[in-house]
């Protein structure tokens, strides 16, 4: 098998040359004279989904089904930068969207799937996030938190729940997959290629911006045996062995892939995994920074997941599906804020 770094180098070179040949974006001085421009791109771990108030508010005609919320980390960082501006104000354009894949950042439109007050005809498709954010040569900072849905990590969790309920191994399913299903090795290799192409396109769209990528937190414990398989407020029926596999063979390699590609482009990677160890979905309510399969969320957030048998009303909770809570977003915000301040000092 070809070494991952060699494969990364070859893929990045090919994508870079192709984009350079077709580049139409002129270079120039970044940033408006009176403020810095920051674009936040990403998936539900950036958008927030159930943390804080919906943004735009419920009933607002501009709602797009992306489930951005006020207490997600972009909002936390924005408030800190407003209070203590890094020389001049920072203007945030947050276009993150729940369920976004890597392709939805720079290439493909996305059809949002928010379960919160969807229109009768469903949510209309939204443009790729670099287009929605209006990235250009005046953009100063771009933060990107994406990758999980491209595996897809959420879908794998649900499969692991299903396998655990029937006494089967999720690890075996993805290591020796049935026809039509990618192995985990193939998934990670594809994610690396997609991430390379995405970062190249972000740099093409915002040639003067400092680009910061954000990894995923420690949503799973260091030992699968820490989880109570009878508890939907943790990881439910997922076996302890599969939890260990998801952590060591899926989540950590995903973060490593993001960090490796980020470094290759000379960009800054924000590690939120290390600081969140011990605050996973299987910890007590006052310790966890990640809600479990079912967890605490505002009343507007549903308890059932359409198309599945999951019903969190049985335990008096909402369907949080292993997403960060307010404390988790606050931790991510602290690291992202620091990265943004350093990036702006380097301008």
């Amino acid at each position: 098998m070809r070494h991952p770094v060699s494969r990364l180098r070859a893929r990045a070179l090919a994508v870079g040359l192709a984009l350079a040949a077709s580049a139409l974006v002129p270079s120039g001085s970044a940033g408006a004279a009176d403020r810095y421009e920051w674009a936040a791109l990403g998936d539900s771990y950036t958008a927030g989904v159930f943390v804080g108030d919906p943004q735009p508010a419920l009933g607002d005609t501009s709602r797009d089904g992306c489930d951005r919320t006020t207490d997600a980390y972009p909002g936390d960082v924005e408030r800190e930068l407003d209070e203590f501006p890094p020389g001049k104000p920072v203007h945030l354009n947050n276009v993150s969207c729940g369920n976004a894949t890597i392709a939805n950042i720079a290439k493909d439109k996305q059809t949002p799937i928010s379960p919160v007050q969807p229109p009768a005809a469903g949510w209309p498709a939204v443009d790729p996030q670099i287009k929605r954010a209006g990235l250009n040569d005046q953009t100063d900072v771009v933060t990107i938190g994406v990758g999980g849905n491209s595996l897809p990590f959420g879908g794998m969790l649900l499969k692991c729940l299903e396998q655990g309920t029937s006494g089967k191994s999720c690890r075996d399913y993805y290591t020796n997959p049935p026809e039509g299903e990618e192995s985990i090795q193939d998934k990670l290799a594809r994610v690396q290629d997609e991430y390379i192409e995405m970062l190249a396109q972000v740099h093409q769209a915002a040639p003067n911006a400092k680009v910061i990528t954000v990894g995923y937190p420690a949503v799973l414990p260091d030992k699968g045996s820490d989880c109570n398989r009878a508890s939907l407020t943790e990881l439910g029926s997922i076996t302890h062995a599969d939890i260990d596999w998801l952590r060591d063979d899926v989540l950590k390699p995903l973060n490593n892939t993001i960090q490796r590609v980020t470094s290759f482009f000379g960009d800054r990677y924000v590690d939120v995994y290390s600081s969140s160890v011990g605050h996973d979905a299987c910890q007590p309510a006052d310790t966890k920074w990640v809600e479990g399969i079912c967890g605490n969320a505002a009343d507007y957030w549903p308890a059932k997941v359409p198309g599945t048998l999951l019903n969190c009303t049985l335990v008096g909770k909402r369907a949080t599906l292993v997403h960060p809570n307010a404390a988790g977003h606050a931790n991510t915000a602290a690291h992202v804020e620091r990265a943004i301040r350093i990036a702006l000092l380097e301008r």
Side-chain angles (χ1 to χ4, degrees):
M1 180 179 292
R2 195 174 185 184
H3 193 280
V5 174
S6 297
R7 191 170 185 272
L8 168 62
R9 184 175 293 109
R11 176 63 175 162
L13 180 61
V15 171
L17 288 174
L19 287 172
S22 61
L24 298 176
V25 180
S27 62
S29 298
D34 59 341
R35 67 185 189 186
Y36 291 118
E37 295 293 336
W38 164 32
L41 319 179
D43 57 24
S44 55
Y45 275 58
T46 299
V49 294
F50 56 80
V51 179
D53 297 325
Q55 193 177 48
L58 296 179
D60 192 307
T61 56
S62 66
R63 279 178 53 77
D64 56 8
C66 283
D67 288 326
R68 290 180 297 280
T69 54
T70 55
D71 292 342
Y73 76 78
D76 287 346
V77 174
E78 180 184 33
R79 288 186 285 273
E80 286 297 312
L81 294 176
D82 282 347
E83 185 171 359
F84 304 104
K88 57 184 178 181
V90 178
H91 173 251
L92 167 64
N93 190 4
N94 181 5
V95 296
S96 58
C97 194
N99 205 46
T101 64
I102 295 169
N104 296 140
I105 298 296
K107 185 171 65 173
D108 295 342
K109 287 190 172 186
Q110 177 185 355
T111 301
I113 61 170
S114 173
V116 181
Q117 299 182 356
W123 298 104
V126 295
D127 284 328
Q129 292 185 26
I130 63 171
K131 182 175 180 180
R132 297 193 81 193
L135 298 192
N136 57 33
D137 61 354
Q138 300 298 303
T139 305
D140 294 284
V141 178
V142 180
T143 56
I144 309 168
V146 76
N149 292 317
S150 293
L151 286 174
F153 189 74
M156 293 177 72
L157 276 176
L158 291 175
K159 173 58 71 174
C160 290
L161 277 171
E162 176 189 309
Q163 296 287 98
T165 300
S166 57
K168 297 178 181 178
S169 167
C170 178
R171 175 179 182 170
D172 288 350
Y173 179 89
Y174 286 109
T175 303
N176 302 290
E179 186 176 354
E181 176 67 69
E182 291 177 302
S183 69
I184 184 57
Q185 293 84 2
D186 288 341
K187 288 177 183 291
L188 289 166
R190 174 177 50 76
V191 163
Q192 175 172 283
D193 286 349
E194 292 175 356
Y195 214 94
I196 290 168
E197 184 174 359
M198 179 270 293
L199 274 187
Q201 290 172 317
V202 168
H203 278 284
Q204 182 191 29
N208 299 308
K210 296 289 186 179
V211 177
I212 299 167
T213 66
V214 183
Y216 290 91
V219 302
L220 308 168
D222 271 352
K223 295 188 298 181
S225 57
D226 286 349
C227 296
N228 177 2
R229 293 189 64 204
S231 176
L232 281 173
T233 61
E234 296 184 13
L235 297 174
S237 61
I238 302 177
T239 69
H240 294 160
D242 281 343
I243 291 170
D244 290 335
W245 174 76
L246 283 166
R247 180 193 63 246
D248 292 335
D249 288 34
V250 182
L251 181 57
K252 286 184 176 180
L254 173 61
N255 275 338
N256 289 340
T257 297
I258 295 170
Q259 183 174 18
R260 186 167 61 247
V261 176
T262 300
S263 297
F264 190 86
F265 276 84
D267 297 325
R268 186 181 303 276
Y269 172 77
V270 174
D271 169 25
V272 294
Y273 189 100
S274 300
S275 59
S276 58
V277 170
H279 298 279
D280 54 83
C282 293
Q283 300 304 315
D286 60 352
T287 304
K288 65 172 63 182
W289 291 352
V290 179
E291 298 298 315
I293 302 298
C294 301
N296 295 322
D299 290 344
Y300 65 81
W301 196 250
K304 299 179 181 180
V305 177
T308 75
L309 297 177
L310 182 63
N311 183 357
C312 294
T313 57
L314 299 176
V315 291
K317 301 292 183 179
R318 305 283 166 170
T320 46
L321 296 177
V322 195
H323 278 77
N325 55 28
H329 276 279
N331 178 64
T332 300
H335 293 278
V336 172
E337 179 192 353
R338 179 176 182 273
I340 290 175
R341 291 185 184 277
I342 291 172
L344 293 178
L345 281 173
E346 293 174 345
R347 295 208 58 78

